[in-house]
Amino acid sequence: MGSDLAKFAADKGVRFFLFNFTDLFGVQRAKLVPAEAVGEMQKSGAGFAGFASWLDMTPAHPDMFVMPDAASVIQLPWKPEVAWVAGDPWMDGEPVAQAPRNVLKALIARADALGLKMMSGVEPEFHLISEDGAEISDARDTQEKPCYDQSALMRRYDVISEICATMITLGWAPYQNDHEDANGQFEINWDFGDCLQTADQHAFFKFMVKAIAEKHGLRATFMPKPFSNLTGNGCHVHHSLWTPDAKSCVFADDTDEMGLSETAYHFLGGLMAHGAAMCAITNPTVNSYKRINAPATLSGATWSPSSVTYGGNNRTHMVRIPDAGRLEFRLADGAANPYLLQAVLLAAGLDGIDRKLDPGKRLDIDMYTEGHKVRGAKKLPLNMLDALREFQKNKALTGAMGPAFSKAYVKLRTREWNQFTHHLTDWERENALDC
């Protein structure tokens, strides 16, 4: 895209721009800027009060200006008079160090200094539910194993096809749509790209899916575990390192049994070393731990890991090696912040490369049925507080993600945990009234 948003507006018939940024909790914030003002606003940025979003700020902080990245601009196919553009928060002439997109860009710069570029693709799962959120939207979607159910998929054809057609219009090259393992659950896959582009697309995808679902009188949710008896919403990340020109995959080595280079194994070693601490970022909510530590669901499997292990083409591990030259990180869920998800993968992997970490032995077993036999495999945190503690004490990750970000993130997420612990649940009343 061109760098002149005013020209973009004139050429495309855009009347308004959503100047967007994503806060620490993954909430997308925006101001609606008319095309007549966009030229000046592109120079100065859109002003926000940082305290009004999930950033560690107070009302005493000065204005925060979100500078739009014109390369990210997307015209809304379902509302073409509006364009969305991702932005970077600045304050007092400096990038806001705790802002997620800035955290990712700092890690990209670090990789670039090493002559490396991370390419990635995401697989965000979501449920289509009733508007009140109480149940899945398709009363006939009741199979015990509904994955790939053709009839259930086609009953939601209007919604899924519109989302996919929108992605085709945007040039994202989507290549398949499917009904997933839970009743009412779907997934749409599209082409990979550099990790900042993927993060921007991931952020827009969540906005787009929700908006199109609303058009059809439905609600879309990426909540990790919206129904206790059904498989939760994961967000798998396929990723690899390339040369700066994106022409040569640094992870690939055809002499290796799994098709991975020494660099890839060290990157994987970083994921293994930091898996538990990464949970604070990749599985960021109280509800996240109802997915990764869940009993078997209606379909027979949770499709999510419970320990820090890797295997070949085996979906029961935290990291899968599906084919040569790439890794699939299967831990993250639908609540993961699109920017922080890419950032923490890069932070952990680069530490593995820097310290030449060994990922340990590949496990070619079904972790769901044989995992109890494995000695020394670290278990994933049982709850959000344990994950935050793992992250806080992990100096490699907190250092790579930046002290300003790490302090702010732990502070605000711990506040959220404390709010949860103050909440009285129905389960407590049902099980403790007779104490």
Side-chain angles (χ1 to χ4, degrees):
M1 295 293 181
S3 60
D4 188 338
L5 292 178
K7 185 177 186 304
F8 182 88
D11 292 344
K12 303 290 187 179
V14 169
R15 294 184 58 209
F16 293 95
F17 288 85
L18 285 166
F19 274 37
N20 168 285
F21 80 96
T22 299
D23 69 18
L24 288 173
F25 284 12
V27 180
Q28 292 191 48
R29 311 286 181 167
K31 283 198 171 180
L32 194 63
V33 176
E36 291 80 359
V38 77
E40 187 58 37
M41 292 289 277
Q42 186 174 0
K43 297 175 186 175
S44 62
F48 293 79
F51 175 71
S53 66
W54 290 117
L55 293 171
D56 185 22
M57 295 182 184
T58 73
H61 276 81
D63 286 343
M64 182 177 75
F65 292 94
V66 172
M67 304 301 297
D69 182 348
S72 72
V73 68
I74 298 174
Q75 187 175 12
L76 276 55
W78 70 93
K79 197 179 288 291
E81 69 270 24
V82 179
W84 178 96
V85 59
D88 301 320
W90 284 63
M91 185 179 288
D92 288 337
E94 298 286 341
V96 176
Q98 64 178 278
R101 199 170 190 269
N102 289 337
V103 173
L104 175 56
K105 289 176 74 173
L107 281 156
I108 289 172
R110 181 180 162 196
D112 186 64
L114 299 173
L116 300 170
K117 175 193 287 287
M118 188 167 87
M119 307 289 283
S120 63
V122 291
E123 298 177 346
E125 296 168 340
F126 59 94
H127 278 79
L128 291 176
I129 58 176
S130 57
E131 288 186 285
D132 64 4
E135 57 191 7
I136 64 169
S137 63
D138 181 359
R140 295 171 61 191
D141 189 353
T142 59
Q143 282 199 54
E144 181 179 344
K145 286 184 176 288
C147 201
Y148 315 125
D149 182 347
Q150 178 173 275
S151 295
L153 175 63
M154 291 306 293
R155 285 197 297 272
R156 286 290 168 258
Y157 173 81
D158 289 351
V159 184
I160 300 301
S161 64
E162 183 173 347
I163 296 169
C164 187
T166 300
M167 296 164 73
I168 292 170
T169 299
L170 296 175
W172 290 13
Y175 54 88
Q176 61 185 11
N177 311 268
D178 70 81
H179 188 297
E180 276 293 317
D181 190 64
N183 305 113
Q185 186 184 49
F186 299 88
E187 179 179 297
I188 301 174
N189 304 130
W190 71 94
D191 203 3
F192 70 98
D194 74 75
C195 61
L196 181 60
Q197 173 186 295
T198 294
D200 285 338
Q201 290 178 345
H202 185 186
F204 185 83
F205 179 81
K206 296 181 78 170
F207 166 58
M208 171 180 63
V209 168
K210 292 175 183 178
I212 292 175
E214 287 171 7
K215 279 183 57 181
H216 293 267
L218 304 176
R219 183 175 180 180
T221 180
F222 294 83
M223 183 179 178
K225 189 75 169 178
F227 302 101
S228 60
N229 64 325
L230 301 179
T231 303
N233 289 312
C235 185
H236 306 149
V237 186
H238 294 258
H239 58 287
S240 52
L241 292 181
W242 293 64
T243 53
D245 59 8
K247 291 184 177 178
S248 179
C249 180
V250 177
F251 271 14
D253 183 349
D254 58 12
T255 66
D256 177 69
E257 177 189 7
M258 302 301 295
L260 296 181
S261 67
E262 183 179 359
T263 298
Y265 281 112
H266 290 324
F267 192 102
L268 177 58
L271 301 185
M272 293 295 105
H274 303 301
M278 291 169 69
C279 273
I281 308 297
T282 61
N283 307 82
T285 68
V286 170
N287 180 255
S288 294
Y289 298 85
K290 303 294 177 64
R291 170 182 168 268
I292 62 174
N293 290 300
T297 60
L298 181 66
S299 72
T302 64
W303 298 101
S304 59
S306 58
S307 56
V308 182
T309 58
Y310 79 98
N313 199 348
N314 180 331
R315 289 179 170 87
T316 65
H317 295 274
M318 187 184 83
V319 178
R320 177 171 75 119
I321 306 171
D323 53 34
R326 67 183 164 113
L327 305 174
E328 180 191 22
F329 184 77
R330 296 182 56 81
L331 174 59
D333 63 43
N337 185 307
Y339 300 98
L340 298 180
L341 173 56
Q342 301 292 329
V344 79
L345 280 170
L346 196 48
L350 290 180
D351 182 62
I353 291 172
D354 182 56
R355 295 196 286 145
K356 293 181 168 43
L357 296 180
D358 184 343
K361 183 181 178 182
R362 188 181 80 238
L363 297 177
D364 295 318
I365 62 171
D366 182 340
M367 286 298 293
Y368 296 158
T369 59
E370 301 177 84
H372 63 283
K373 300 177 183 178
V374 180
R375 292 186 178 182
K378 188 169 184 177
K379 300 296 288 183
L380 292 169
L382 291 173
N383 57 56
M384 178 180 173
L385 182 61
D386 287 349
L388 287 168
R389 287 172 172 168
E390 288 279 356
F391 178 74
Q392 191 171 22
K393 71 182 184 183
N394 189 307
K395 301 307 179 187
L397 274 193
T398 55
M401 301 287 283
F405 161 78
S406 299
K407 179 181 177 182
Y409 188 82
V410 170
K411 175 183 175 180
L412 293 181
R413 283 298 188 189
T414 300
R415 175 183 179 275
E416 183 182 21
W417 171 260
N418 291 336
Q419 286 181 323
F420 166 69
T421 60
H422 297 159
H423 174 67
L424 185 64
T425 66
D426 289 341
W427 185 92
E428 291 170 279
R429 291 184 59 81
E430 290 168 3
N431 288 274
L433 279 178
D434 291 329
C435 288

